[in-house]
Amino acid sequence: EKLLNTAKGKEDISLFESLNIESRSLNWAEAKQMNFKGNLRLVKAETLKGPREKTDIFFVRKLDGKIFILSIPENEDSRYANLEKMIENKMIFNINVLKSEIDGRLYEFCQFAEKPEQALLDRIFKASIILMLLFVMVGMGLTLTLKDFALVFSKPGGVIIGELLQFGFMPLMAVALGYVLGFHENYPFIFVGMVLITAAPGGVTSNLMTHYAKGDLALSICLTSISTVLSIIFLPLLLGAYCSNIPDVNIPVKTIVSTIIVLVILPLIIGMSVNYKWGNLAKKLVPFFSALGIVALLFLMVGGVLSNLDKFADTERYGVNFYSMVMLLTLLGMFFGAVIPKIFRINNYQARAISLETGLRNASLAMAVALLIQDFMGDFYSSMFFVSGIFGLTMYIAGIISIKFYKVALPVDN
């Protein structure tokens, strides 16, 4: 906290220079060695420009939250090459540790005994979530034509209400729950994760569930397609609108937009182009890409659990309130997604599709975005990713419950 306040100019910025310079004069021959998995972090002075030793502090963070300020040798050392690149990944550290008092305050410093290496599981996991999203979006594109987007003109009421529920009602409900349950104040990155998953577009899961629910599949596909394109604007816009007032939270809009373009829009266009030019080939490729997407999704779930076991043990942060909130988000989304269309006299056939499209989100996209921006934002506990991942699991349960509910509340003719 002191380092963050210093970076923001709330305390004497000369502390950074003192920590960097004086740590090099320590007797590192007396240091003890430690080996663990963790992350490299960087705190930059916001009010000062100049040499790195005056403006930047790197520190190593263990998975349990303990931190060590990194002492970087003055002379070139290959172990410290590309430090900012290391920030992107979970690393395996072998460090030498010393305690020292500077300006009346005790700090723990470290130097690299060996060059850190990226954890293999983390490397595979990050690649798998990107590949999974690419497969899913190419596969979605293979099933789409421009006619699917043109449905907005033949069924404007259902489309407009559906998109307003997706990008209007759902994020607002997440914000309300975040304040009521105390996440906004106590766990701000869980709050950001709530906004992130509810600002994400619909996904293929909602289309699949609509098929089983005997809802308007064409409307569901149209809503998914349009919300996917609109997510370029609304996802960063909603994150900025609802989360920019939280201390220490900066929304990397450019990173989010570029991620959506590269991992969502371009694969979608590729899939649609193949479908347009080679329709028969597209039909043959759909099962292949669907299978790849399912395999990648299963791998993602297993990898996500294995790499986040510490999250399940953190019952203070991820307790009853947390899991209840995630289930409420998707259940209430589908409930109001069914009730509100009925107020506007939307028929039950379309209301089923709108309901599922409201409550079921593209969790894969939300997880990918969270994974790519969490280090930049300082989400040291990967809370945004964990919210999206747990939502991605619970939305299937909520979807099955809702389909049973529709038989009574939204009956349709066979």
Side-chain angles (χ1 to χ4, degrees), residues 151-152 154-165 215-216 219-220 223 336-356 358 409-412:
L151 190 69
V152 66
S154 60
K155 298 180 180 179
V159 173
I160 293 171
I161 291 173
E163 296 302 343
L164 286 174
L165 284 167
D216 190 338
L219 176 60
S220 176
L223 287 169
F336 286 105
V339 172
I340 293 176
K342 293 306 298 176
I343 296 174
F344 291 91
R345 298 183 179 180
I346 299 294
N347 64 56
N348 292 350
Y349 183 56
Q350 291 185 10
R352 289 186 176 195
I354 295 171
S355 172
L356 289 165
T358 303
L410 297 173
V412 295

Side-chain angles (χ1 to χ4, degrees), residues 323-342:
Y323 295 105
S324 300
M325 171 274 296
V326 175
M327 180 60 79
L328 274 173
L329 268 182
T330 183
L331 274 176
L332 289 176
M334 280 182 270
F335 175 77
F336 286 105
V339 172
I340 293 176
K342 293 306 298 176

